[in-house]
Amino acid sequence: MPYLIDGHNLIECLPDIELDDPNDEAQLVNKLKGFAAMARKKCIVVFDHGLPGGHSSMSTRSVQVIFAAARHKTADDLIKSRISRTEDAPNWTLVSADRDVVKYAHRHRMRHMSSAQFAQLLGGTSMAEEARGEEIHPTVSADEIDELYQAFGGEPD
């Protein structure tokens, strides 16, 4: 099942990439390349504000990268256009939190996964989890560390 991804929407859910970083798109593309290789899935990621727009040289066979030209279209416009042209839409999954785009995908029988859910697939804790106060970096007590040393026959340094 291939994925059609709203790139900047997904970046907002990743704790290790910032939207104001000038390399945020490249960082996400690298994550997607790793995911696509491990999961053996195809991904198309669409970003806003590309100059001059269109397919990016960051694309590979498994991860296609597309930028919306700033003057003419938005990523949402390009995603909707791609959804309407996809003959096997029920076999694809849209990754977005944009309600309008999600509704459009549902009308074309395309599956949907929230950006926060997909962020978890990429191995990151979503910002939604952070906002709910869920523990991101669990702590290990001194007693638990001692138990581990005993279990593996080691002594603390």
Side-chain angles (χ1 to χ4, degrees):
M1 166 183 19
Y3 294 91
L4 178 59
I5 302 167
D6 184 338
H8 289 129
N9 196 277
L10 178 57
I11 289 172
E12 289 179 333
C13 295
L14 294 169
D16 56 343
I17 303 176
E18 298 291 327
L19 276 172
D20 60 356
D21 184 326
N23 296 315
D24 60 343
E25 293 95 351
Q27 291 174 46
L28 176 58
V29 169
N30 285 334
K31 279 184 172 284
L32 291 173
K33 287 177 182 177
F35 168 78
M38 287 181 55
R40 297 182 182 205
K41 302 289 183 183
K42 179 180 175 182
C43 298
I44 298 174
V45 60
V46 183
F47 295 106
D48 283 309
H49 310 299
L51 294 174
H55 290 81
S56 169
S57 61
M58 290 189 286
S59 296
T60 64
R61 283 190 338 213
S62 58
V63 179
Q64 186 179 7
V65 182
I66 303 169
F67 283 89
R71 290 185 174 173
H72 303 291
K73 294 196 182 259
T74 66
D76 292 352
D77 293 334
L78 291 179
I79 290 169
K80 286 179 181 179
S81 174
R82 187 160 293 265
I83 289 169
S84 67
R85 291 180 294 147
T86 302
E87 292 178 14
D88 62 338
N91 295 323
W92 283 73
T93 298
L94 170 70
V95 176
S96 180
D98 185 295
R99 289 183 182 155
D100 186 48
V101 176
V102 170
K103 285 181 187 177
Y104 192 85
H106 283 189
R107 284 196 300 269
H108 287 84
R109 301 180 310 134
M110 185 176 280
R111 298 174 195 187
H112 166 254
M113 177 183 288
S114 74
S115 296
Q117 289 171 318
F118 194 81
Q120 290 177 344
L121 286 179
L122 291 179
T125 303
S126 74
M127 305 255 312
E129 287 174 315
E130 245 179 282
R132 289 193 302 262
E134 294 179 16
E135 193 166 357
I136 296 168
H137 302 287
T139 56
V140 180
S141 72
D143 290 338
E144 291 171 315
I145 292 172
D146 289 340
E147 280 182 43
L148 289 170
Y149 277 119
Q150 289 174 0
F152 293 101
E155 297 259 344
D157 290 326

